[in-house]
Amino acid sequence: MDGLVRNLLDAFKERLEQNEWMDAATREQALLKLSTFEPRIGYPTKYTDYSTLAISPDNLFENALALAEFGWADQIKELGKPVDRERWGYPPQTVNASYNPLLNQITFPAGILQPPFFDPAADPAVNYGAIGAVIGHEIGHGFDDQGREFDEKGRIRNWWSDASNAAFKVKTDKFGAQYDAYEPLPGAHISGQLTMGENIGDLGGLQMAYAAYHRYLDQTSGGKAPVIDGLTGDQRFFLAWAQVWQGKYRDDELRQRLETDPHSPPYFRINGPVRNLDAWYDAFGVTAEDDLYLPPEERVRIW
Ligand SMILES: [Zn+2]
């Protein structure tokens, strides 16, 4: 995981350095922000002490109240003290990952470090396409439509020049329009605006992870990936991304999420970003005959 995170950060740094739509001053600020990213992997350095919390095996309601009170007291005791950067907002067994713009930290708890996201014994193409793209997604939150308003110290400060700001907006408007057009249920569309930050995270994450995977191949095997089960490295990379977002909702749940969830439905988290990556077209021989085909000029590349 340390190696994966390092390669993702290096890949993003390289992409920022080669970025053509940011001016030099904004690019410098973006690189500064990236340099202060703090990854937290697996478990906290300091655990929450639950010894004062009384839990009984036969009273769910009292337990819920006791836990709420414990959580409240745990937060109140931090009041008036300096910010504790070692605190975790959730326990390490959680299957999730997060970015905190106020602290510029990305967190990957132990719970997500298992298949289908991560397996130390798995083919690297799969790890880069799965947890690699999730790492990239969280890094991307530092530079999405909301995260980009925070600077390298977590302060809300506009470090964007007007020109770079306008260029970012042109790209994200075009990208958001792709999602507005998706109709997961008859008459119910994704909101490109509501899901913007998460979609930017997915697109940037996949782009960063793809670049990182190829950095890894360059470092270890002269850029070549083996064919496994008849699949090329790039094919396995994209299939791994699809595997982590397998999911199923009842129509009512899906309809509610389209109104309230800042994430696009899983099916669109897979297909939405990939059709913007040239490498995906090459990997599977996708042509204008295919449903997900986008002409090159309509593909959005932010990072
Ligand atoms: Zn996210």
Side-chain angles (χ1 to χ4, degrees):
M1 270 301 285
D2 287 337
L4 274 163
V5 171
R6 191 67 262 156
N7 264 347
L8 261 292
L9 287 168
D10 287 349
F12 190 38
K13 180 165 179 268
E14 196 175 86
R15 295 185 77 105
L16 279 176
E17 284 165 350
Q18 294 166 1
N19 178 298
E20 285 166 0
W21 56 266
M22 274 180 163
D23 50 40
T26 308
R27 192 163 52 233
E28 197 181 309
Q29 288 287 313
L31 284 164
L32 176 64
K33 179 165 181 176
L34 186 68
S35 74
T36 63
F37 258 68
E38 184 191 347
R40 310 194 299 177
I41 299 163
Y43 51 90
T45 42
K46 202 162 70 187
Y47 278 91
T48 304
D49 176 8
Y50 290 99
S51 58
T52 58
L53 173 66
I55 294 286
S56 72
D58 55 5
N59 199 331
L60 176 66
F61 184 70
E62 290 291 331
N63 288 345
L65 281 185
L67 189 57
E69 270 171 34
F70 178 88
W72 173 251
D74 190 50
Q75 292 189 41
I76 290 298
K77 75 175 193 298
E78 296 294 314
L79 277 178
K81 292 187 196 161
V83 171
D84 181 356
R85 292 185 60 92
E86 290 178 66
R87 271 175 82 88
W88 278 38
Y90 45 84
Q93 56 269 46
T94 311
V95 181
N96 202 353
S98 59
Y99 170 69
N100 183 339
L102 293 164
L103 300 174
N104 210 25
Q105 289 172 326
I106 40 174
T107 304
F108 305 96
I112 201 170
L113 306 185
Q114 56 184 330
F117 289 97
F118 177 64
D119 181 347
D123 163 32
V126 172
N127 279 334
Y128 276 94
I131 195 76
V134 173
I135 296 167
H137 172 103
E138 299 308 335
I139 297 171
H141 274 318
F143 300 89
D144 72 15
D145 57 324
Q146 297 145 63
R148 75 191 189 93
E149 294 180 7
F150 297 79
D151 72 6
E152 80 284 357
K153 286 194 153 59
R155 298 170 295 202
I156 293 184
R157 177 170 71 83
N158 182 16
W159 48 270
W160 293 67
S161 70
D162 289 346
S164 294
N165 195 45
F168 181 83
K169 193 142 177 2
V170 167
K171 285 177 178 291
T172 54
D173 283 352
K174 193 169 159 187
F175 190 46
Q178 289 180 13
Y179 285 79
D180 282 332
Y182 296 136
E183 191 178 0
L185 290 169
H189 285 255
I190 293 178
S191 162
Q193 196 51 46
L194 172 65
T195 57
M196 182 66 82
E198 297 299 332
N199 298 334
I200 293 173
D202 284 342
L203 177 64
L206 207 55
Q207 285 169 327
M208 272 181 251
Y210 182 79
Y213 173 52
H214 280 266
R215 282 177 78 87
Y216 166 84
L217 289 177
D218 289 342
Q219 290 157 4
T220 55
S221 57
K224 287 200 169 40
V227 172
I228 300 176
D229 295 337
L231 298 167
T232 66
D234 280 10
Q235 288 175 336
R236 298 194 303 278
F237 171 90
F238 286 112
L239 286 172
W241 173 247
Q243 272 181 316
V244 300
W245 298 119
Q246 292 177 97
K248 208 173 175 182
Y249 296 127
R250 283 171 295 143
D251 286 357
D252 289 348
E253 171 73 10
L254 181 54
R255 201 172 286 276
Q256 169 157 309
R257 282 178 180 260
L258 287 170
E259 297 290 335
T260 58
D261 188 344
H263 303 86
S264 294
Y267 181 81
F268 296 90
R269 295 192 69 170
I270 302 166
N271 288 343
V274 295
R275 57 202 298 245
N276 289 286
L277 268 72
D278 296 341
W280 175 77
Y281 291 83
D282 297 338
F284 295 100
V286 177
T287 67
E289 313 295 302
D290 296 300
D291 287 351
L292 291 180
Y293 178 84
L294 274 179
E297 66 277 11
E298 284 179 31
R299 297 173 200 166
V300 176
R301 175 177 165 169
I302 300 175
W303 305 118

